[in-house]
Amino acid sequence: MPTTTLLETLRAIVGPTHVITEGDMTAWEQDWRRRVRGKALAVVRPGNTTEVATLVKACAAAGTAIVPQGGNTGLAVGSTPDASGTQIVLSLARMNAVRNVDTANLTMTVEAGCILQNLQEVARNAGLLFPLSLAAEGSCTIGGNLGTNAGGTQVVRYGNTRDLCLGLEVVTAQGEVWSGLKGLRKDNTGYDLRDLFIGSEGTLGIITAASMKLYPQPAAKLTAWAAVPTMEHAVQLLGMAHKQLGAGLTGFEVMGQFALSLVGKHMPQLRVPFLGDAAAAWCVLLENSDSESEEHARGRFESLLEAAFEAGCVTDAVVAENLTQAQQLWHIRESIPLAQAEEGLNIKNDISIPISRIPAFVAHTDALLQSQIPGVRLVNFGHLGDGNLHYNVQAPAEGDAKAFLRDYEAQVNHLVYEAVAEFGGSFSAEHGIGELKADKLEKYQSPVALSMMRAIKNALDPQGIMNPGRVLRSA
């Protein structure tokens, strides 16, 4: 099908105003971190699942590749077109309806273009909780969260996006619609197709809607900020928190002093507790959600911290007195990536390690990088509660950040990924593979796993039109 004919067909399907081919297309063609800028044949914005299915059939007939896109907030270059000018960006932003909230079943059925923060508010208005929470929640969409199996700050209690999903509606690479939105917690009728599409980054089909789990709102939620002398002590504190708080432990974040110093430097209006304290090499942000009362929650929290003081794994701590203080503490944690960006270009690594081995990994890898690249600065922080670290590397203080990335990014990634493999971890914890890490998947994933992945890709997308070059470099 000639390009002009395809574009005419797409305009007929979704309406001329929803097929964008000219003007400023940066929002769709450039990735979130501004590392890559592609060129789309067109940005197509369908309004419902039928339109998605029809336009996929048209693209399949034309042999035209499709790049599904939600909020375009991914960090692994997984939702922007390549530079060929031949790919269609399929934006799901218009498909943002909440189809149903079932309070008895504790579920809501939502379309893929729904912004995560809006879903949190819908649940809250129904007196319930949708616990998925991450830094980009004001602009990321649930379809993208599902496509990358996003994590966030409450995985320690509620799991990744995969764990919050009960069913999907998906348009296949052939333009057929699979409707699996029953919202059942038990459904053993063959292969779990839901889990096949979650985390596939749009390479197998297009998620258009999902049934998501809801939870009762906690009666109270308390936040504490604790200073710990070593990473070993942070892991010890995590074990104590699991034992004393149980399912009430809904957040456990760790932050190195240098990461916090960047917040203090670039955002002086934020008061960072224990900043510069020699006895606080690391700080931990804990969240306790209680189903009984604030008094009960505070008592359990204070009991935990007293035991941690006695054990020597906490040297100082503050407990937020109200919601405003709690939000201020979380704002400090969430400001680390922005403060790091203010400091200059940097190398980001999203890794996971068995929690028991994280202290040894950090000590080993820190020393390795500092010996290989003198002056390098390490920005370590992340979700210790689920073993996920954002192990980032900043250029030397007086160095040229652009030159540092150019000269050292490949070496840094190699050293970090080799260490991750040595300690039994994963080089991609919650950001996905996208295009950025496709080559690394080829190296670090087992040949058997890669063979099975390619077989699935070839079976579901034999034309190779669904987000080509992402996850698997070739099928």
Side-chain angles (χ1 to χ4, degrees), residues 258 261-262 265-266 340 342-345 373-379 393-402 404 408:
F258 179 65
S261 76
L262 294 180
K265 175 181 177 181
H266 295 286
Q340 192 178 7
E342 291 289 327
E343 184 72 6
L345 295 171
I373 311 171
V376 72
R377 298 176 294 168
L378 303 172
V379 186
V393 181
Q394 203 86 29
E398 305 302 324
D400 182 332
K402 288 185 178 179
F404 174 74
Y408 290 104

Side-chain angles (χ1 to χ4, degrees), residues 30 42 75 90 100 152 179 198 284 307 316 356 414 428:
Q30 183 171 267
L75 300 176
L90 195 159
N100 178 52
S179 182
I198 297 173
V284 170
D316 207 345
S356 59
H414 174 74
S428 180

Side-chain angles (χ1 to χ4, degrees), residues 79-314:
S79 61
T80 49
D82 65 17
S84 67
T86 63
Q87 298 182 335
I88 296 293
V89 171
L90 195 159
S91 170
L92 293 153
R94 291 179 62 215
M95 295 181 59
N96 57 9
V98 176
R99 296 183 184 176
N100 178 52
V101 176
D102 188 336
T103 56
N105 197 46
L106 288 177
T107 56
M108 61 178 172
T109 302
V110 301
E111 292 183 340
C114 288
I115 293 174
L116 174 56
Q117 191 172 68
N118 294 344
L119 296 185
Q120 295 167 349
E121 293 174 0
V122 167
R124 190 179 305 115
N125 291 337
L128 297 168
L129 170 71
F130 183 56
L132 183 63
S133 179
L134 47 140
E137 61 192 26
S139 50
C140 67
T141 65
I142 193 64
N145 300 148
L146 288 159
T148 57
N149 189 28
T153 59
Q154 300 198 74
V155 172
V156 65
R157 166 64 177 88
Y158 298 103
N160 293 311
T161 313
R162 180 189 307 278
D163 302 292
L164 297 171
C165 180
L166 293 173
L168 296 175
E169 177 184 85
V170 175
V171 173
T172 72
Q174 293 74 39
E176 299 174 329
V177 179
W178 167 54
S179 182
L181 295 173
K182 295 178 181 178
L184 301 175
R185 286 167 174 79
K186 292 183 176 180
D187 183 8
N188 290 312
T189 50
Y191 302 134
D192 194 336
L193 300 177
R194 171 199 59 182
D195 274 352
L196 195 60
F197 289 100
I198 297 173
S200 67
E201 302 186 43
T203 61
L204 302 179
I206 299 167
I207 296 172
T208 52
S211 293
M212 307 301 295
K213 295 179 185 177
L214 298 175
Y215 293 83
Q217 280 280 1
K221 186 181 291 186
L222 292 182
T223 301
W225 186 287
V228 297
T230 68
M231 182 64 85
E232 287 85 352
H233 288 102
V235 171
Q236 182 183 355
L237 177 60
L238 174 62
M240 297 176 70
H242 276 306
K243 183 177 180 179
Q244 297 205 30
L245 302 179
L249 180 64
T250 51
F252 197 98
E253 302 288 303
V254 69
M255 301 151 285
Q257 266 290 345
F258 179 65
L260 293 172
S261 76
L262 294 180
V263 177
K265 175 181 177 181
H266 295 286
M267 301 165 187
Q269 74 278 13
L270 300 180
R271 298 180 180 179
V272 182
F274 317 127
L275 185 61
D277 186 342
W282 299 87
C283 287
V284 170
L285 182 62
L286 305 91
E287 183 180 84
N288 175 27
S289 298
D290 196 282
S291 60
E292 293 188 28
S293 66
E294 182 172 342
E295 182 181 2
H296 184 260
R298 192 170 294 276
R300 297 185 72 188
F301 229 173
E302 290 175 352
S303 176
L304 166 64
L305 293 174
E306 287 174 7
F309 276 117
E310 292 177 4
C313 62
V314 169

Side-chain angles (χ1 to χ4, degrees), residues 408-420:
Y408 290 104
E409 184 169 21
Q411 181 184 358
V412 166
N413 287 341
H414 174 74
L415 292 173
V416 172
Y417 292 170
E418 288 292 307
V420 167

